Structures are given as C-alpha cells and as structure tokens.
Amino acid sequence: MLDEIRLNSLGLPKPPAETRVVVAMSGGVDSSVVAAMLKDEGYDVVGVTLQLYDHGAALARKGACCAGQDIHDARRVAEAMGFPHYVLDYENMFREAVIEEFADAYLAGATPVPCIRCNERVKFKDLLATAKDLEADCMATGHYIRRLDGPAGPELHCAADPNRDQSYFLFSTTSEQLAFLRFPLGGLASKAETRALAARYGLMVADKPDSQDICFVPDGNYAAVIEKLRPGAADPGEIVDTEGNVLGTHRGVIHYTIGQRKGLGIGGLGDPLYVVKLDPEARRVIVGPKAALATRAVAVREINWLGDATFESREEWQVSVRIRSTRPPRPAILRPLSPTAAEVELLDPEEGVSPGQACVFYETGGSRILGGGWIWRGR
C-alpha cells in the first residue's frame, strides 16, 4: 500500500518512467540542466523550445534566449540526452502579447517589464496548455524559484540562492498554474552547482553565458526598437522643472526613465536633477531634486494573489514589497481596494517608483511570495 502512494521527486504518485514532463527549453544552461536531470532520473521528458522573435541581427546575437543559436543548442542537448524536442513558432503570439505592449507602455511614459508578461501570457499560459495537450503530468522550467507544498496547496517561495532568485518575474503565476509547474533548480545553493551538473551530464552548454537584457532588444537599445515599432515615437520636446520652467530640450520621452540622472544635458544648474515624471502627451520630461523622487503611496492593479485567505478578507496586510527587481523587499502595508487593486503604503519612502514596474508582495520575514501587481502611479 505504501508503494502505491509513494511520490516521485516531482511530487506525483507514479514512477518516473510513467511520468511525462514537458521541459521549457530556452537553449541556456539552466533549462538544459533541468531536462538532463529529469531524463537521468528516468522521467519521460519532452523538450519544447519557443521561437519568439526574429529581428535580423538579433537572431544570432549571443546573450539572448529563444533565438536561432539557442534553438540549435536546445536541440543538441535533446539529441545528446535522447529525448524528443519540438520547436513551436510563437512569433505572432509573442509580438501581440509582449512586444506591442512593451512599445505602447514606453510611449505612455511607463517602464515595462516584458519578461513578466512573457512568463504570464506565453510560457505559463500558451506553452502550459501545449504541455497538457501533449498529455504531460507537469511542466518544468529552469527558473530559480521554489514550489513548496503548504497546508492549503502549492506555495511559491524565493530561490535558495538570493543572487539567482527570480520571484520578481514570476509573481503573476496563478495557483492553478503552480499546481502544474515544477522548478527543479530553485533549491540549489548557487549557479556554480547548475554548471557543475551541466558538466556532469556532458552538456555542450555548460559554460554558455547567461542571457542578458530583454531578448528582443538588440544591444539593450530599447529606444531603437520602439522607434521601429512606432515611427515618430522619439519626437523631441521640453525638459522642465517641477514648476514648469523650461530647462532644455530632450530627444524623445522614450529615452528617459524615472530616477534617471545622467544624460539629461542640462548641467551647470547647481544641485543634481533627476527625472521625476514623464508627460508623453505634452512630450515633456519633468526633472527635480532627489527628494522629489521619494514615494510612500503606490497604486497597484492587475493583482495576482497567492495567499491562503482571500485578498479582501482583511482590510490590510503587513507584507514586504519589492518595487524593482534590483531592490530588496521593504516593509509595507497592503490595503485591498478590490480583488485586483490595492494601495501599498511603504513604511520607508522609496525613490524612483515607476509606473509599469511590478510590485511584488512577500511574507514578512519569510520566503513566500504572496503575489503582486503592476504599479500605475505613485505619490
């Protein structure tokens, strides 16, 4: 009887050989190790790679995922480890769900995070549906995050290695998706362990550099991509202070972000000035002293809640929040306004809170991710 209910390493009540796992393979070392590890454990592995874009020179650019060379690398890993591999053409879907919104968000003065939208709308939605069509029992990825079983079901937790943790980019994972997803690398202590595993399995990507920047933005030049997608997006305008005094001209609002100090071209004015607001309709960049960047109240919408109790079951939640991927979580009070909207009160003001970024909620003093939403204004 005990043998009949014994769970395998993926938490499923069947032998590995009878457990089909679709592995989302980007062609990098992380997802390649996941596929190799599961194949080595005896699972019925199916590798799937998404072709997401083709921007000419970007196709062969090193340091990007889901482009030509990376698809080739994923295929080679599958051949070496002896499991089937499929490439799915998601270019049109990716353009509509991710790239178009990216361009529109910049034009509206926001600072978008397209990697989150890609996970939310493509990888964990359409690809996950494809995995189910392939009769998979679960889908595994190379993300550094942990899925732990809790009293109310699967919970999302930060990776064991804080330097690799990708929780900021995965807050929109729903409870239903979490039930089907697996993250085998989340418990590793460091990226060095991942590369050691790649070497152990003899993977040709063991020393492959990590992907950098946004995959569809060659050389990190966001403005060039937006100008190509939205001709006229870089129209010049005025740089003004918080009183409306004209201090200079700019070369297009899309070239600026909240909190930016360098590259304003308005030196010699005494105290340093920072971008404190963008007004795309008036084609204005508003600058001010560093103190003007301080924000305590942040409006958040499109909330995905992962707590055990319903979001509106309390008037307020004591949490920690992260408002940029590069910043540590800070204490805050989360006040629900609806099932998908809230106001976040930062106990200590943050500088450079920018519309379009994510606000991710964490359990205070713990590793659990309670969800998150999108910042649409701060004050």
Side-chain angles (χ1 to χ4, degrees):
M1 184 67 179
L2 287 175
D3 289 339
E4 292 177 5
I5 61 172
R6 184 173 297 164
L7 302 180
N8 60 34
S9 64
L10 294 175
L12 297 168
K14 49 202 307 193
E18 298 174 17
T19 305
R20 176 166 292 176
V21 186
V22 164
V23 179
M25 299 182 69
S26 67
V29 64
D30 298 326
S31 56
S32 296
V33 164
V34 167
M37 181 191 308
L38 295 175
K39 177 64 178 178
D40 186 57
E41 291 180 25
Y43 287 97
D44 176 12
V45 173
V46 178
V48 175
T49 301
L50 304 181
Q51 181 173 325
L52 298 181
Y53 66 95
D54 179 357
H55 277 189
L59 188 64
R61 182 173 67 91
K62 293 182 179 180
C65 69
C66 311
Q69 181 61 45
D70 300 293
I71 291 171
H72 177 64
D73 289 342
R75 183 181 292 118
R76 290 172 66 203
V77 168
E79 289 174 353
M81 295 301 298
F83 59 82
H85 175 256
Y86 301 99
V87 178
L88 305 181
D89 182 356
Y90 274 34
E91 281 192 40
N92 290 338
M93 187 180 301
F94 184 67
R95 172 178 282 271
E96 294 170 6
V98 179
I99 298 180
E100 296 291 344
E101 183 186 272
F102 172 82
D104 289 339
Y106 258 106
L107 290 182
T111 307
V113 191
C115 297
I116 298 176
R117 289 301 197 193
C118 181
N119 289 326
E120 173 189 322
R121 297 176 174 176
V122 180
K123 294 177 181 175
F124 289 178
K125 183 181 177 184
D126 298 294
L127 177 56
L128 192 144
T130 297
K132 291 183 177 179
D133 289 341
L134 291 170
E135 300 182 341
D137 294 286
C138 63
M139 186 173 90
T141 79
H143 290 106
Y144 287 86
I145 197 165
R146 290 180 295 161
R147 174 193 181 277
L148 302 178
D149 291 324
E155 300 175 353
L156 202 60
H157 286 256
C158 296
D161 178 5
N163 295 318
R164 305 299 305 179
D165 177 61
Q166 292 176 290
S167 59
Y168 184 84
F169 301 97
L170 295 170
F171 80 85
S172 61
T173 306
T174 66
S175 297
E176 182 183 7
Q177 292 166 344
L178 193 57
F180 193 70
L181 289 164
R182 299 295 186 275
F183 310 105
L185 303 184
L188 298 187
S190 69
K191 182 61 177 267
E193 285 193 34
T194 306
R195 294 199 182 278
L197 284 169
R200 171 184 158 192
Y201 294 123
L203 303 183
M204 63 290 294
V205 295
D207 297 319
K208 187 173 180 177
D210 291 339
S211 59
Q212 302 292 331
D213 298 320
I214 296 170
C215 67
F216 59 88
V217 182
D219 305 317
N221 190 345
Y222 305 160
V225 171
I226 297 165
E227 287 183 69
K228 182 177 179 182
L229 293 168
R230 301 287 187 273
D235 289 344
E238 297 174 335
I239 298 177
V240 302
D241 62 20
T242 52
E243 303 297 321
N245 301 307
V246 178
L247 304 179
T249 59
H250 65 74
R251 53 197 178 94
V253 171
I254 61 172
H255 291 279
Y256 302 86
T257 58
I258 303 296
Q260 180 177 334
R261 174 186 171 188
K262 296 181 179 179
L264 301 181
I266 51 171
L269 296 175
D271 293 334
L273 294 175
Y274 299 78
V275 176
V276 298
K277 186 179 178 182
L278 299 171
D279 184 351
E281 291 186 5
R283 298 206 307 273
R284 280 188 158 188
V285 172
I286 297 93
V287 297
K290 191 174 184 180
L293 287 170
T295 301
R296 186 180 291 276
V298 182
V300 181
R301 58 187 175 185
E302 292 184 62
I303 287 173
N304 177 54
W305 179 248
L306 294 172
D308 295 338
T310 59
F311 185 50
E312 293 184 285
S313 63
R314 297 186 192 176
E315 291 187 2
E316 58 183 45
W317 297 84
Q318 303 286 333
V319 297
S320 294
V321 301
R322 177 176 278 160
I323 59 165
R324 282 190 186 270
S325 63
T326 54
R327 297 184 184 178
R330 301 290 180 84
I333 299 172
L334 175 62
R335 296 188 176 92
L337 300 176
S338 77
T340 58
E343 181 169 271
V344 174
E345 180 186 347
L346 303 172
L347 299 191
D348 296 307
E350 283 268 9
E351 295 174 352
V353 175
S354 177
Q357 294 282 301
C359 179
V360 182
F361 317 143
Y362 297 84
E363 176 186 47
T364 300
S367 62
R368 187 176 179 184
I369 297 101
L370 296 174
W374 296 92
I375 298 169
W376 62 286
R377 61 178 170 81
R379 66 175 188 271

